[in-house]
Amino acid sequence: MNTVVVGYTPKPPGEAALRLGVEESRLRRARLLVVRSHQTELSPHQGRPHDDGQLHRLLSELIPYEDVSYEVREERGIDPAEDVLGLATHHEATLIVIGLRRRSAVGKFLLGSTAQRILLEAPCPVLAVKP
């Protein structure tokens, strides 16, 4: 079965990727796999992700699309790019959808670029969307 993988973050680029991923899944009659990496969302006191209601909002966006079969994966890996790439490879994805945001040159240098790594290392085509 075809699989579309969406790299989701609870921010406008992630939400744009989710919307487009749902549409691509519908057009391709593919299963949707939403990957939410908690690498940057850990609580220093609890050592686990915050439950900030974002996942519930994500699910409420998906519910109206009953013609799309989906799964949400909450990954707690070290690197969000690794989470997306690993699941895309494991599920033999036909497409990865990611959101992009503008970053300064210094920001890219210091923090690396998750989107760039996904674009360069993906085992399938990548669709990048801006909010």
Side-chain angles (χ1 to χ4, degrees):
M1 172 180 242
N2 292 333
T3 301
V4 172
V5 173
V6 173
Y8 176 80
T9 59
K11 297 175 184 167
E15 292 168 4
L18 176 63
R19 284 190 294 276
L20 192 58
V22 169
E23 292 306 316
E24 285 295 322
S25 292
R26 179 181 280 143
L27 291 171
R28 297 165 184 260
R29 296 187 176 149
R31 181 173 152 263
L32 179 67
L33 177 59
V34 181
V35 181
R36 182 176 178 192
S37 179
H38 290 286
Q39 183 259 340
T40 59
E41 300 176 42
L42 294 180
S43 164
H45 301 291
Q46 299 173 355
R48 57 188 174 93
H50 293 292
D51 181 12
D52 55 5
Q54 295 296 330
L55 182 56
H56 297 293
R57 196 170 87 208
L58 164 64
L59 292 172
S60 70
E61 275 191 51
L62 290 172
I63 289 170
Y65 299 101
E66 294 175 1
D67 57 331
V68 174
S69 169
Y70 68 89
E71 176 185 355
V72 176
R73 294 287 302 262
E74 300 249 8
E75 296 296 307
R76 287 165 178 79
I78 295 171
D79 177 24
E82 189 66 35
D83 293 340
V84 170
L85 292 169
L87 287 168
T89 300
H90 178 75
H91 290 277
E92 298 178 357
T94 55
L95 179 70
I96 298 172
V97 183
I98 58 172
L100 296 178
R101 64 183 172 92
R102 184 173 295 274
R103 294 177 52 180
S104 69
V106 173
K108 286 184 231 174
F109 177 74
L110 292 176
L111 301 174
S113 174
T114 298
Q116 181 178 5
R117 182 163 176 219
I118 292 170
L119 287 165
L120 294 174
E121 297 180 21
C124 61
V126 177
L127 182 55
V129 61
K130 296 187 291 186

